[in-house]
């Protein structure tokens, strides 16, 4: 995860979710993970210190690189998993025992200043996915579980522009006095512009046989902003395989190692992202402007050594 990395489609919201190990806490069902809102947590009582959750995407990919099913990262938001050991596995059948490890077990270090996580793994397409948590807290709490493709856009050509607002209009007491909201979380909007350096150095910007560079990468990325949901081509376009940025749903993103932050997965962020490109010229398609509105603003961007 070298630069700013985005997960433009999350496959968990459209999956059939079930608990393999553990028991749902009353009032906090596993189906809360189908919700985009991070404060709608799923809560699970571990069994012998372990929790395992299954996500069934509903149909099988045509290949292990099927782009409609591809998963290349794990995202977690609004959780209490610091100190827990996390593993991600997948399988062609509904069996955790026979599943293959896609993200090896790691211990999530303490960093509650910014609990969100976006951790890359080798991209793979499968139907059944498993999140296994050992040394799990009781209860285990997760606000958003993310599984999806990622795009590393490098670093912005221009710095961030911040626009901060208070979430709601002024609060007033029963007598009509204004209540101070200085401690309330703001909505933070960030605007960034990314440029593909390979495209800028290329001697013929109209040569569509160009084999590398962000013309194709950005073009593919924009698919996730033009659609509300990802669909399985192999299933005839009738099976949804993810909710995309075009739906207005918040997505996971990570700022890479900018400002000296850890590039290993934390701190990550979770917000609504929109993109703007010039569609008429290939050169301009190699520039993309991203506007981010954080769904769940957090405290200081302090990262642990690894995760």
């Amino acid at each position: 995860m070298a630069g700013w990395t985005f997960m433009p489609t999350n496959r968990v919201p459209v999956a059939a979710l079930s608990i393999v190990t553990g028991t749902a806490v009353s009032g906090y069902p596993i189906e809360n993970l189908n919700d985009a809102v991070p404060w709608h947590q799923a809560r699970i009582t571990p069994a012998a210190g372990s929790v395992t959750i299954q996500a069934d995407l509903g149909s099988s990919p045509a290949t292990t690189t099927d782009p409609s099913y591809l998963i290349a990262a794990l995202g977690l938001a609004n959780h209490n998993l610091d100190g827990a050991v996390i593993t991600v596995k997948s399988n062609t059948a509904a069996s955790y025992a026979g599943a293959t490890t896609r993200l090896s077990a790691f211990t999530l270090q303490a960093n509650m200043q910014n609990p969100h996580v976006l951790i890359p793994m080798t991209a793979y397409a499968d139907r059944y996915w498993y999140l296994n948590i050992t040394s799990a807290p009781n209860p285990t709490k997760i606000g958003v579980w993310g599984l999806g493709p990622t795009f590393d856009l490098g670093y912005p050509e221009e710095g961030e522009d911040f626009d901060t607002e208070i979430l709601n209009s002024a609060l007033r007491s029963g007598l009509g006095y204004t209540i101070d909201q200085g401690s309330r979380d703001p909505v933070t909007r960030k605007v960034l512009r990314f440029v593909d350096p390979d495209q800028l150095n290329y001697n013929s910007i109209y040569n569509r046989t160009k084999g590398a560079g962000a013309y194709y990468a950005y073009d593919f990325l924009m698919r996730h902003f033009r659609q509300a949901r990802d669909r399985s081509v192999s299933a005839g376009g009738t099976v949804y395989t993810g909710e995309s940025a075009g739906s207005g749903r918040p997505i996971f993103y990570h700022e890479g190692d900018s400002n000296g932050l850890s590039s290993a997965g934390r701190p990550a962020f979770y917000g609504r992202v929109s993109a703007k490109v010039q569609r008429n010229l290939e050169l301009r398609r190699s520039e993309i402007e991203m506007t981010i509105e954080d769904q769940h603003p957090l405290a200081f961007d302090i990262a642990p050594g690894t995760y």
Side-chain angles (χ1 to χ4, degrees):
M1 192 183 299
W4 283 63
T5 302
F6 296 83
M7 181 192 287
T9 289
N10 186 358
R11 309 209 182 281
V12 173
V14 302
L17 302 177
S18 58
I19 299 173
V20 178
T21 307
T23 306
V25 175
S26 178
Y28 299 91
I30 191 65
E31 289 80 11
N32 278 359
L33 294 181
N34 292 124
D35 195 326
V37 181
W39 46 87
H40 288 173
Q41 290 181 325
R43 298 186 181 182
I44 302 168
T45 301
S50 180
V51 167
T52 304
I53 307 170
Q54 173 185 280
D56 175 7
L57 297 185
S59 63
S60 299
T63 67
T64 58
T65 58
D66 188 333
S68 299
Y69 292 82
L70 208 61
I71 288 173
L74 164 70
L76 295 167
N78 193 24
H79 61 83
N80 68 338
L81 302 182
D82 280 12
V85 179
I86 298 171
T87 308
V88 176
K89 298 186 177 185
S90 76
N91 202 346
T92 56
S95 170
Y96 178 71
T100 301
T101 299
R102 304 300 175 193
L103 179 62
S104 299
F106 67 92
T107 301
L108 200 60
Q109 295 186 10
N111 184 32
M112 289 311 294
Q113 294 96 333
N114 195 324
H116 298 351
V117 178
L118 179 61
I119 301 174
M121 53 188 173
T122 301
Y124 199 83
D126 228 337
R127 173 170 175 172
Y128 297 94
W129 288 83
Y130 298 92
L131 176 65
N132 174 253
I133 305 163
T134 56
S135 300
N138 187 8
T140 294
K141 304 176 183 180
I142 304 174
V144 183
W145 177 21
L147 291 171
T150 57
F151 291 85
D152 185 339
L153 296 182
Y155 292 96
E157 185 76 6
E158 296 179 356
E160 303 173 50
D161 294 329
F162 286 90
D163 177 17
T164 304
E165 298 178 0
I166 297 297
L167 282 171
N168 299 312
S169 56
L171 295 178
R172 297 186 182 277
S173 69
L175 297 177
Y177 296 106
T178 300
I179 299 175
D180 177 40
Q181 299 186 77
S183 61
R184 301 193 66 191
D185 281 339
V187 171
T188 302
R189 294 180 183 86
K190 293 179 273 191
V191 181
L192 310 105
R193 185 172 67 91
F194 297 89
V195 177
D196 171 31
D198 183 48
Q199 180 73 66
L200 295 181
N201 294 332
Y202 195 67
N203 59 13
S204 177
I205 63 173
Y206 298 104
N207 185 348
R208 293 180 179 271
T209 63
K210 179 171 179 286
Y215 170 71
Y216 295 106
Y218 288 180
D219 204 36
F220 184 62
L221 173 63
M222 290 309 296
R223 175 172 70 87
H224 299 269
F225 289 91
R226 291 195 296 264
Q227 64 185 19
R229 295 179 179 88
D230 208 3
R231 295 172 175 83
S232 168
V233 175
S234 61
T238 59
V239 176
Y240 292 130
T241 59
E243 283 199 1
S244 301
S247 68
R249 182 186 181 94
I251 64 174
F252 286 95
Y253 70 97
H254 190 284
E255 296 183 1
D257 197 33
S258 60
N259 303 317
L261 300 181
S262 169
S263 62
R266 301 177 83 181
F269 301 88
Y270 184 67
R272 291 183 175 87
V273 179
S274 59
K276 182 174 68 174
V277 295
Q278 170 59 261
R279 301 187 62 178
N280 297 325
L281 299 176
E282 185 172 353
L283 174 62
R284 300 300 296 177
R285 275 185 183 253
S286 290
E287 295 185 15
I288 186 168
E289 182 179 282
M290 310 289 280
T291 300
I292 304 168
E293 182 177 317
D294 284 329
Q295 173 73 11
H296 190 210
L298 300 165
F300 301 105
D301 298 346
I302 301 173
T306 55
Y307 293 117

